[in-house]
Amino acid sequence: MAFIRIGLSVLLMCALAPGALRAQQPTVTVSVERHQQPGHLDRSKLHLLKHQQFSERSSRVASQYRLPNDTIPESYVLELSSNVHAEDFSYGGSVAIRVRVLQTTRSIVLHSLYSKLVKVEVRNANQLNIPISTVEEDPALETLTIRTDHELQRGIYQLTILFENTLRDDFGGFYRTSYNSGNEVRYSAVTQFQPVDARTAFPCYDEPGIRATFTISITSGVGTKVYSNMPIKSTTITGNGLKQTRFHTTPSMPTYLVAFAITNNFASTRLSLRGPPSSINMELIAPPTVTDTAQTYGLDLGGEIIRTVEQYFNQSYDLPKLDQLAVPDFYFAAMENWGLVIYEERYLLYDELTSTNRDKENVIATVVHEFVHQFLGNLLTPHWWSDLSLSEGFATFYEYYLSSMVEPSIRFKEKFTVEALQPALLFDCDINVRPISYNVETRADIERMFDIISYQKGGSIFRMFHYALGELTFVKGIRRYISVNKGRSVTPDDLFESLQVAASEDAVLPLSLDVGTIMRPWIFQSGYPVVTVTLSNGELTFMQEHFLYRGSVVTSDRTWWIPITYHVHQSVGTVQSQQFWMPQGTSQVSLEQGDLMDGFIVVNPQQTGYYRVNYDENLWIRLIAKLSSDPSIISPISRGQLLDDCFKLYYSGRVGANIIYNLLTYAENEIDAIPWSVAFANDNLGVLQGALVVERMAFEAFSRFVTGLTANVFNAVGFDALPSDEHETQQLRSAVIEWSCRSGSSECRTEALARMLNDLNGLAPLPMYLKYSVYCGGATIASPDVLETLWASLQSVNDYGQRLNVIEALACSESEQFLDDFLDSVFTNPIAGEWANILRAVYQKSAAGYEAYNRWIARNALQIVQSIGLDPAFTQIVNDVNQRQSDIRKYDELVELFKNSSPGQR
């Protein structure tokens, strides 16, 4: 099924209405928009995620989608010829595959899609031709079956296929990309084969568990430069303005890691690293528009990161080169091709003069992510896409963990909880979401595996066991996992076995437990628990249950082996740390606990465990009292965790309005970026703001509350950067300005408008990271003429992201005249689908926007029916608005608390 865009009220199903979950529904998942991989989610843009549904189990047996195991490839010799430099997008090729027949057969089955076969030939070990009876292509299964007249006995054969093909234009397979050089458009060609697109470039055995060597030769224009996984072996001028570039043979590897690129006038710079532990030649290749600063930063960063990864895994990188290629158009943020990592250029090229702090984070984390894959993913590969998390989950965890070693000034370890763990918890509470390990067969379902479950949940589970087993034990197990399994495909059992060896050596588990037993529920079972903690008569009780909505028609008795850690903060200032394993199949564990006096308890400190925590009312009150008097008594990660858990517990009916209200009031004294990132998230305060727009009095009460809540942090960060700012202050400042201005701070709005006008007039350009927030803040009080000028200027902008940012900023307006005109423009907007972005932005931003939407509906009913009324996107918008209207009463008690609150009296 194609990707489905859905509204916030549907997407955030676990944070919103506690209505009945549907039983017996197809398995679902949620994935990030392209360009947001590998893992850094923007919690203010969760509404842009894609909700996907897996196919119903096919009547075809699985073996029809998987290749038979009677033949395997040992080596490929691949030769291609392309004139992409001359804007000729066709190419020709040949592939000679050394095939080993494992059992007697009359057919060789491999993958092929899009290639036009010119000649197919099979020869035996003596180079004698084997007669072919039929050559059958199955587009549905994407296979090529070559049937022979006689049985092929066990042994070695050579399959040679000549073919013709065309460069794709959709960022998949072997595709074309371009950039402008003055008035000239220059074309290059690059590959993106993961997961199943090598078969679209040349016939091959295109499964991750099948490894072979590749010897690649590419004929291209003499003015081009060609790259592949291995260094160049030779270059030969062939005539007619062409040359042939031959590469050294690769190690044995799966097809999805094969890569090649034909570049046209790209810039490059080189670095040589000398051993120990390994000698590596590195080259950074990018379009000619790249700055020297960005080239130098990316190259030096790559050298530092590969050494960090080698040292951490105690494993040398054994290919002779590790190149990094930046291209203008790429489906993912980057791809870990062995020896030739390819990036969408903004995820590799960082220039401090033009880039933001967030850009720097993304570059560091992306390079770490891809270099971790050189070991976990390339050196050893998941046996099948069902266990993609053995590659992507590890890379997501380590992109934060190892990035913190590369750049300690950025709080990567803390950001993991905000950007990976908490979003995974958000979407993993639907009974129909798939588990980490999930069997898939078809192309569409394989592509759906590149989701929040493989990346963010997988990384969260590996992080949990990293801390539960102990950091030293875990890394010992991972090093063994790599060294024992390198050069082959792996399953979760291989991971369990290596971690078990390390756990046994270090005696970190009770003798009755083993790693496989405690990890399997987290890998093969979807969802997670909420642990509820109560204190009564000196006894501390922990209860686990599957985090689903109360009142749901679905019940679940799932349980997990939970690594429980908790800190007991005594009134005298001492902190006692306790930990134990809560067994699967056990719903309750009670422990003796002395008198807390004025102390309190924090469960799951640093949010290392993948579960939510609820407390009885007395324990919540103790926690909130201490936070209100001194937020620093609990770490920023734990403060963010308390906010995130409490919001979801409130939205699911597990805590009352008084608890979430009182917890929020502590934030009057909060100035740290981590807790505020959690509070401002679309799935936390954003849910309340979006829900309350349908009733002006409720929305205004909420807005006054937020204005008071953010006053101190607004004064702390202001509009201007300071030399003493921490790295995270940029993002915090941007968020605080937007929330303070939208909630009604006159000081914020006045300053934002002045700065917006100065930017529009070219008098004082805004830094890029502040542009949207300042424009949104200024738009709240800007005149219709100013807003119309801004809207008119957008007509010359073609970039989708830039257009969306301006639309979102304009939607912050509270001018009835402008909002009416803005909404009416959807009927004449020439950009396909942009009308829906305008509608959503306007009604979701404020009560004024919601009222404008209702006026628009009333005055344009007939035109709406005639133009967009039957569009599925409009149906989704109508359903989302209706859901907000039906949800408003759930928040009555909390709204009353907002109405009766005032700064300093909370």
Side-chain angles (χ1 to χ4, degrees):
M1 181 179 289
F3 291 155
I4 304 170
R5 286 183 180 272
I6 59 177
L8 188 63
S9 63
V10 179
L11 181 65
L12 306 187
M13 63 184 77
C14 300
L16 293 178
L21 292 174
R22 295 167 297 169
Q24 305 284 323
Q25 293 296 310
T27 303
V28 298
T29 191
V30 178
S31 62
V32 298
E33 282 278 5
R34 77 180 186 91
H35 293 336
Q36 288 188 320
Q37 298 282 12
H40 283 201
L41 294 180
D42 186 340
R43 292 279 288 276
S44 69
K45 296 181 179 179
L46 292 177
H47 58 290
L48 298 179
L49 296 177
K50 296 173 180 176
H51 189 83
Q52 300 173 270
Q53 181 175 300
F54 284 93
S55 305
E56 293 185 15
R57 292 308 187 195
S58 173
S59 58
R60 293 178 185 260
V61 295
S63 61
Q64 290 183 285
Y65 290 94
R66 299 285 296 272
L67 295 178
N69 58 8
D70 47 11
T71 71
I72 59 170
E74 292 191 344
S75 66
Y76 295 77
V77 177
L78 176 64
E79 297 186 356
L80 302 174
S81 179
S82 169
N83 286 297
V84 65
H85 64 288
E87 300 185 32
D88 178 359
F89 303 133
S90 63
Y91 69 93
S94 68
V95 60
I97 309 174
R98 177 184 169 93
V99 175
R100 178 173 293 276
V101 174
L102 300 177
Q103 59 188 32
T104 303
T105 182
R106 284 195 174 188
S107 64
I108 298 174
V109 185
L110 63 161
H111 290 106
S112 182
L113 186 66
Y114 302 153
S115 290
K116 178 183 177 182
L117 307 184
V118 177
K119 182 180 180 181
V120 178
E121 181 181 82
V122 178
R123 292 182 180 271
N124 64 18
N126 296 321
Q127 291 301 301
L128 296 177
N129 191 61
I130 305 295
I132 296 173
S133 58
T134 62
V135 175
E136 304 166 8
E137 297 180 79
D138 187 333
L141 296 179
E142 304 180 0
T143 56
L144 170 63
T145 302
I146 300 152
R147 302 191 187 279
T148 58
D149 287 347
H150 308 292
E151 286 189 338
L152 302 176
Q153 302 300 315
R154 294 177 61 183
I156 298 296
Y157 296 81
Q158 179 165 298
L159 168 64
T160 302
I161 303 173
L162 276 60
F163 60 93
E164 296 173 348
N165 209 324
T166 302
L167 295 174
R168 292 168 59 176
D169 60 2
D170 59 356
F171 314 120
F174 191 23
Y175 73 95
R176 61 185 184 264
T177 184
S178 65
Y179 69 91
N180 294 325
S181 178
N183 295 325
E184 182 182 2
V185 178
R186 295 197 172 187
Y187 288 92
S188 298
V190 297
T191 56
Q192 170 53 43
F193 289 161
Q194 191 184 44
V196 288
D197 275 326
R199 67 189 68 174
T200 70
F202 62 96
C204 57
Y205 290 75
D206 198 14
E207 292 189 357
I210 300 176
R211 301 172 75 98
T213 63
F214 293 82
T215 305
I216 298 171
S217 301
I218 297 178
T219 299
S220 62
V222 292
T224 64
K225 189 163 184 182
V226 185
Y227 298 87
S228 188
N229 305 87
M230 295 295 286
I232 293 173
K233 184 176 183 179
S234 67
T235 303
T236 305
I237 302 299
T238 60
N240 298 319
L242 300 174
K243 66 180 180 182
Q244 184 182 63
T245 305
R246 294 182 177 273
F247 296 91
H248 286 278
T249 301
T250 71
S252 182
M253 64 184 191
T255 48
Y256 81 85
L257 292 174
V258 172
F260 35 86
I262 304 170
T263 64
N264 191 351
N265 199 38
F266 275 35
S268 73
T269 185
R270 296 177 178 84
L271 172 70
S272 292
L273 300 178
R274 292 292 170 254
S278 61
S279 294
I280 311 170
N281 291 320
M282 305 186 75
E283 185 172 356
L284 188 146
I285 311 106
T289 52
V290 64
T291 65
D292 291 342
T293 301
Q295 276 188 293
T296 301
Y297 181 83
L299 189 64
D300 291 345
L301 178 69
E304 181 181 359
I305 287 174
I306 192 59
R307 288 304 194 216
T308 299
V309 177
E310 284 182 313
Q311 181 179 0
Y312 184 80
F313 291 141
N314 194 31
Q315 174 68 51
S316 62
Y317 175 82
D318 292 335
L319 269 65
K321 77 174 184 75
L322 180 52
D323 294 339
Q324 299 183 91
L325 169 62
V327 296
D329 304 298
F330 203 64
Y331 187 80
F332 293 115
M335 176 61 205
E336 66 267 19
N337 312 298
W338 213 353
L340 178 61
V341 181
I342 302 178
Y343 302 79
E344 199 269 336
E345 56 188 337
R346 62 177 152 164
Y347 290 96
L348 176 61
L349 307 178
Y350 168 78
D351 188 325
E352 63 180 354
L353 294 179
T354 57
S355 303
T356 67
N357 283 4
R358 183 65 167 179
D359 294 331
K360 184 177 183 179
E361 281 178 46
N362 285 336
V363 167
I364 294 171
T366 303
V367 176
V368 170
H369 186 103
E370 306 311 324
F371 283 16
V372 166
H373 274 317
Q374 303 303 305
F375 303 89
L376 295 168
N378 298 7
L379 193 59
L380 56 159
T381 307
H383 75 111
W384 183 245
W385 302 113
S386 56
D387 291 307
L388 178 63
S389 196
L390 291 176
S391 174
E392 297 300 350
F394 273 121
T396 300
F397 166 46
Y398 283 124
E399 79 176 68
Y400 289 88
Y401 189 81
L402 297 181
S403 289
S404 69
M405 299 179 184
V406 174
E407 184 53 79
S409 67
I410 301 176
R411 298 162 67 180
F412 279 109
K413 287 185 181 179
E414 294 170 272
K415 285 173 174 285
F416 182 93
T417 61
V418 180
E419 298 172 349
L421 189 150
Q422 290 169 12
L425 291 173
L426 173 65
F427 296 110
D428 194 27
C429 65
D430 180 358
I431 193 71
N432 299 308
V433 168
R434 73 171 181 88
I436 288 177
S437 181
Y438 182 72
N439 186 49
V440 287
E441 301 170 3
T442 66
R443 165 185 286 270
D445 283 345
I446 289 169
E447 290 173 346
R448 292 181 183 114
M449 293 295 288
F450 290 77
D451 60 2
I452 284 178
I453 301 300
S454 287
Y455 285 75
Q456 282 77 18
K457 180 179 180 179
S460 299
I461 297 304
F462 295 142
R463 174 179 177 267
M464 176 169 68
F465 282 92
H466 170 94
Y467 290 110
L469 298 178
E471 297 186 52
L472 295 179
T473 299
F474 190 82
V475 72
K476 180 193 289 187
I478 294 302
R479 288 175 175 178
R480 185 184 189 279
Y481 172 62
I482 293 173
S483 64
V484 168
N485 295 295
K486 59 185 178 182
R488 58 181 291 262
S489 59
V490 291
T491 69
D493 285 336
D494 295 308
L495 174 63
F496 301 158
E497 190 274 336
S498 288
L499 290 176
Q500 179 59 43
V501 170
S504 296
E505 289 178 357
D506 295 351
V508 297
L509 289 175
L511 293 177
S512 59
L513 282 184
D514 64 86
V515 170
T517 296
I518 59 178
M519 284 193 76
R520 281 191 180 91
W522 299 98
I523 302 297
F524 297 106
Q525 182 172 262
S526 67
Y528 60 88
V530 55
V531 175
T532 301
V533 188
T534 61
L535 178 64
S536 178
N537 299 321
E539 188 174 75
L540 202 57
T541 300
F542 298 80
M543 295 170 285
Q544 69 158 306
E545 64 173 318
H546 189 181
F547 187 81
L548 294 173
Y549 273 100
R550 293 175 179 175
S552 166
V553 297
V554 176
T555 59
S556 170
D557 58 359
R558 292 178 194 169
T559 55
W560 291 260
W561 280 96
I562 308 176
I564 301 288
T565 303
Y566 64 100
H567 289 171
V568 180
H569 294 252
Q570 302 287 355
S571 57
V572 293
T574 60
V575 179
Q576 296 177 345
S577 181
Q578 306 286 344
Q579 51 189 317
F580 65 93
W581 286 95
M582 190 171 189
Q584 186 179 28
T586 301
S587 61
Q588 180 174 312
V589 172
S590 296
L591 302 173
E592 184 178 343
Q593 173 61 51
D595 191 348
L596 276 180
M597 302 294 286
D598 293 328
F600 62 97
I601 293 174
V602 176
V603 179
N604 197 19
Q606 304 299 100
Q607 204 168 15
T608 57
Y610 187 73
Y611 55 91
R612 296 201 185 279
V613 180
N614 193 8
Y615 301 90
D616 65 29
E617 186 161 358
N618 175 53
L619 290 176
W620 271 118
I621 290 171
R622 289 169 178 267
L623 264 170
I624 292 168
K626 292 299 181 182
L627 274 176
S628 299
S629 62
D630 180 12
S632 67
I633 200 168
I634 300 173
S635 72
I637 292 180
S638 291
R639 301 201 299 271
Q641 171 200 357
L642 286 168
L643 286 165
D644 193 64
D645 281 352
C646 196
F647 269 114
K648 305 313 185 298
L649 294 167
Y650 169 67
Y651 293 141
S652 65
R654 286 177 166 85
V655 299
N658 63 313
I659 296 297
I660 185 64
Y661 174 83
N662 288 322
L663 179 62
L664 278 172
T665 59
Y666 106 84
E668 284 185 349
N669 300 316
E670 180 65 81
I671 58 172
D672 191 276
I674 298 299
W676 275 118
S677 296
V678 176
F680 287 145
N682 239 4
D683 49 304
N684 290 328
L685 279 174
V687 169
L688 277 177
Q689 187 175 63
L692 299 181
V693 296
V694 303
E695 190 173 281
R696 180 175 281 273
M697 289 184 64
F699 185 80
E700 289 178 348
F702 169 77
S703 296
R704 288 192 300 271
F705 176 79
V706 172
T707 300
L709 203 64
T710 58
N712 284 338
V713 70
F714 173 73
N715 291 331
V717 299
F719 279 81
D720 296 309
L722 299 174
S724 58
D725 283 349
E726 293 184 354
H727 173 90
E728 288 71 27
T729 303
Q730 272 194 6
Q731 288 173 260
L732 177 61
R733 179 176 293 115
S734 175
V736 167
I737 289 172
E738 179 187 355
W739 276 86
S740 295
C741 286
R742 284 179 59 193
S743 66
S745 166
S746 57
E747 179 184 357
C748 181
R749 292 181 169 195
T750 302
E751 184 65 21
L753 178 60
R755 291 179 183 244
M756 175 181 124
L757 294 173
N758 285 337
D759 184 75
L760 279 172
N761 297 327
L763 299 176
L766 287 165
M768 285 303 299
Y769 78 93
L770 272 188
K771 198 152 190 171
Y772 163 72
S773 295
V774 169
Y775 272 55
C776 173
T780 59
I781 58 172
S783 69
D785 289 343
V786 170
L787 296 171
E788 290 287 356
T789 300
L790 177 58
W791 176 232
S793 71
L794 186 64
Q795 307 318 308
S796 61
V797 177
N798 295 320
D799 181 80
Y800 176 86
Q802 291 180 30
R803 293 186 67 87
L804 184 59
N805 279 343
V806 175
I807 288 169
E808 295 273 358
L810 288 169
C812 296
S813 170
E814 296 178 3
S815 163
E816 288 189 14
Q817 176 185 334
F818 173 74
L819 289 174
D820 288 345
D821 292 342
F822 192 33
L823 288 173
D824 285 340
S825 74
V826 303
F827 297 116
T828 57
N829 190 302
I831 307 297
E834 193 167 77
W835 61 268
N837 292 338
I838 294 172
L839 290 184
R840 290 191 189 99
V842 170
Y843 78 75
Q844 291 177 1
K845 287 289 184 183
S846 65
Y850 176 77
E851 291 165 358
Y853 168 83
N854 283 333
R855 292 194 301 272
W856 176 80
I857 291 284
R859 70 175 177 272
N860 294 295
L862 181 60
Q863 191 171 3
I864 291 170
V865 170
Q866 294 173 338
S867 57
I868 61 175
L870 298 180
D871 193 301
F874 185 68
T875 301
Q876 291 168 10
I877 287 171
V878 171
N879 290 340
D880 185 42
V881 171
N882 291 340
Q883 185 69 57
R884 291 166 194 262
Q885 292 170 342
S886 66
D887 285 347
I888 183 67
R889 297 279 68 86
K890 294 188 306 180
Y891 306 109
D892 283 349
E893 185 179 352
L894 186 57
V895 168
E896 284 303 309
L897 292 172
F898 291 152
K899 288 179 178 178
N900 296 325
S901 70
S902 61
Q905 297 180 357
R906 306 195 197 285

